[in-house]
Amino acid sequence: MADSTERKARSTIHAGGEWLEAVSGATRDILDPADAEPFAVVAEGDEKDADRAVEAARRAFDGGEGAWPRTPVAERAALLRRVAALLVRDRERLGLMESRDAGKTLEEGRIDVDCVADAFRYFADLVAAEAPGRVVDAGSPDIHSVVVHEPVGVCALITPWNYPLLQASWKIAPALAAGDTFVIKPSEITPLTTVALIELLVEAGLPAGVANIVTGPGHTVGARLAEHPDVDLVSFTGGLASGTKVARAAAPTVKKVALELGGKNPNVVFADACATDEGFDTAVDQALNAAFIHSGQVCSAGSRLIVEESVHERFVTELARRARKIRLGRGTEPGVECGPLVSEQQRAKTESYVDSALAEGAVLRCGGRRPDPADDRPAGGYFYEPTVLDHCNRQMRVVREEVFGPVLTVETFRTEHEAVALANDTEYGLAGAVWTADAGRARRVAGRLRHGTVWINDFHPYLPQAEWGGFGRSGTGRELGPAGLAEYRETKHVYQNLAPRPVRWFAG
Ligand code: NAD
């Protein structure tokens, strides 16, 4: 089987066990966001390539006795563990590739690879430990009734550019654990590590046709996968606008749809969390992490700071002082704390949100511009300074919509009731945090937040064994945890009559 060392650079489409160029022969340059220079080339697939890959996945799913859906669970789990081991082996290579492609720091790239290996191990353990079905009491000794789970079929997996490898693993690992076959379409901006992951699946011994990848744009490859009649499930992670298009395209064939969309995530800080110097320092430090890690290009970024009025000035002054000192640069440079934005388009979008916020009355406390070109940073990179906008309110576009850049808005409250109301006043509902020293208040507020993940005195951590997903327009369905495996399955009730007799419903 060809691997990356044998295949041609532009053969990044994998269908039915073959590494292929696009049917059209088209290619795309992949840019390094730190200097806007091309550093790799991939196949630019279209609808024809999507069709070819779905056909391969369908054949692999519908195949005979030895086909993946009928492979014993222990063998499927063993394969996932081999993939985890290969990820550990290739940690440095993949971490570097992710850093270069997505513009994150090398350390973040390495952590992503660790998390990806964890996801493969988690789903291997989960599926291996499961009971094969649930016997149901049918109320009669002559009835044997059991509920079993079966693979859903051919899955279309569509992923974004901010955590390319991680988001791919949250879909691929449960899909394989469940016995599905799939076609993945990574973001056209950052496809490289997903191609590398498919190579590792091949190296781990996955049969041909089970894992397929088509590199190419959303409006062609992604749209075709979403509507394709031979696809049984589409799992999409990305923005609200594309997610609604996917749901619409999938509707006529009534396929299962899972959507992991954006967020506008509140970080609520009560004054009592800042009562000691240590508490204050921790809350400020974590507010910076919440907003600026990966330059704010995180679905769960804490981009709305909602801080109690009595500590507002002290808190924001210290936050802005530290935000000004964040070191920007190429993610692979030692000491760099924030890389560039992923593209010129992403930076332009960020700038337009800051402009609109200032026009609507927000007060700039730091950032709000591209860094000085005289600083020693690669020319041409899509850098933007961490930005704190004070005196914001819910009428502002920057507070309501997802910026997906290094922009933190600040709102204030006086009462717990007001804090909860502000935190819930969003059409999204992905994640949120509450900072307080009062244990009762922490649980009260956590219980009232309408968000899929709530952190108390922390921000950002997730666990592969705990479900991830959103309320409201942050999506439908869940990834990770047992529900993240259930997404990739159908549930079947098998009812057996051990002593069949005529029922005589009809007299004749
Ligand atoms: P995007 O919606 O532009 O693209 C996501 C993917 O969808 C890409 O692969 C793209 O090519 C594809 N796509 C675009 N249009 C499509 C269409 N009509 N049909 C099918 N596929 C299509 O999102 P992005 O800019 O790559 O990523 C950023 C977004 O992802 C943010 O909104 C972020 O919050 C979200 N995100 C959510 C989570 C989560 O867990 N909820 C995680 C990471 C990112």
Side-chain angles (χ1 to χ4, degrees), residues 51-138:
D51 285 351
R52 191 166 57 172
V54 171
E55 204 185 305
R58 188 80 259 168
R59 263 200 317 274
F61 188 84
D62 294 340
E65 269 319 294
W68 186 248
R70 283 164 287 286
T71 300
V73 168
E75 280 180 40
R76 296 209 298 262
L79 183 126
L80 294 187
R81 291 198 187 97
R82 286 201 295 280
V83 175
L86 293 173
L87 285 158
V88 171
R89 182 195 70 187
D90 290 355
R91 179 179 192 253
E92 203 57 24
R93 177 177 75 91
L94 294 171
L96 187 60
M97 198 187 280
E98 196 75 319
S99 164
R100 192 100 197 264
D101 205 2
K104 57 183 66 184
T105 64
L106 178 55
E107 192 50 24
E108 285 175 75
R110 291 179 182 131
I111 291 170
D112 283 4
V113 181
D114 295 341
C115 294
V116 171
D118 283 347
F120 275 89
R121 279 189 218 105
Y122 169 70
F123 283 108
D125 292 349
L126 183 66
V127 80
E130 267 184 340
R134 190 176 92 245
V135 177
V136 177
D137 181 0

Side-chain angles (χ1 to χ4, degrees), residues 79 82-83 86 199-206:
L79 183 126
R82 286 201 295 280
V83 175
L86 293 173
E199 289 169 354
L200 295 188
L201 296 178
V202 172
E203 188 181 342
L206 194 67

Side-chain angles (χ1 to χ4, degrees), residues 103-393:
K104 57 183 66 184
T105 64
L106 178 55
E107 192 50 24
E108 285 175 75
R110 291 179 182 131
I111 291 170
D112 283 4
V113 181
D114 295 341
C115 294
V116 171
D118 283 347
F120 275 89
R121 279 189 218 105
Y122 169 70
F123 283 108
D125 292 349
L126 183 66
V127 80
E130 267 184 340
R134 190 176 92 245
V135 177
V136 177
D137 181 0
S140 160
D142 289 341
I143 303 296
H144 182 255
S145 197
V146 62
V147 175
V148 295
H149 300 291
E150 297 187 353
V152 69
V154 173
C155 302
L157 312 176
I158 302 175
T159 50
W161 49 257
N162 60 336
Y163 287 88
L165 196 58
L166 189 68
Q167 298 302 330
S169 74
W170 291 10
K171 300 181 190 303
I172 290 177
L176 292 179
D180 295 311
T181 64
F182 69 83
V183 180
I184 189 162
K185 192 210 87 64
S187 167
E188 56 274 37
I189 306 173
T190 57
L192 301 181
T193 49
T194 313
V195 174
L197 178 59
I198 300 298
E199 289 169 354
L200 295 188
L201 296 178
V202 172
E203 188 181 342
L206 194 67
V210 177
N212 306 277
I213 179 169
V214 182
T215 48
H219 68 275
T220 55
V221 180
R224 178 62 182 147
L225 292 176
E227 70 172 17
H228 202 297
D230 272 341
V231 167
D232 301 292
L233 169 144
V234 55
S235 175
F236 171 90
T237 302
L240 178 58
S242 315
T244 50
K245 283 186 197 158
V246 165
R248 228 176 276 133
T253 47
V254 198
K255 52 176 65 79
K256 286 179 83 178
V257 178
L259 301 173
E260 296 291 334
L261 307 177
K264 194 70 202 178
N265 312 290
N267 186 20
V268 178
V269 179
F270 283 91
D272 61 25
C274 306
T276 63
D277 287 348
E278 195 186 348
F280 175 75
D281 180 49
T282 303
V284 170
D285 185 74
Q286 292 268 15
L288 287 169
N289 284 357
F292 298 129
I293 208 139
H294 195 13
S295 297
Q297 301 168 117
V298 183
C299 54
S300 53
S303 55
R304 284 179 74 196
L305 175 66
I306 299 174
V307 60
E308 192 162 349
E309 205 173 88
S310 58
V311 287
H312 159 254
E313 189 49 42
R314 181 176 170 228
F315 199 94
V316 176
T317 301
E318 177 62 4
L319 187 78
R321 184 190 71 77
R322 286 194 52 190
R324 268 182 228 112
K325 290 170 70 178
I326 291 175
R327 283 202 54 202
L328 303 183
R330 187 190 284 285
T332 49
E333 292 281 324
V336 161
E337 296 169 322
C338 252
L341 298 190
V342 79
S343 63
E344 183 55 58
Q345 188 193 10
Q346 203 57 32
R347 181 166 64 177
K349 183 178 162 208
T350 301
E351 289 175 329
S352 95
Y353 274 108
V354 173
D355 289 349
S356 82
L358 296 177
E360 288 173 299
V363 174
L364 187 68
R365 298 290 293 254
C366 68
R369 55 176 196 158
R370 300 176 183 198
D372 189 339
D375 295 354
D376 67 346
R377 213 167 283 109
Y382 310 125
F383 294 97
Y384 193 77
E385 287 188 0
T387 299
V388 176
L389 295 168
D390 202 359
H391 300 290
C392 292
N393 61 60

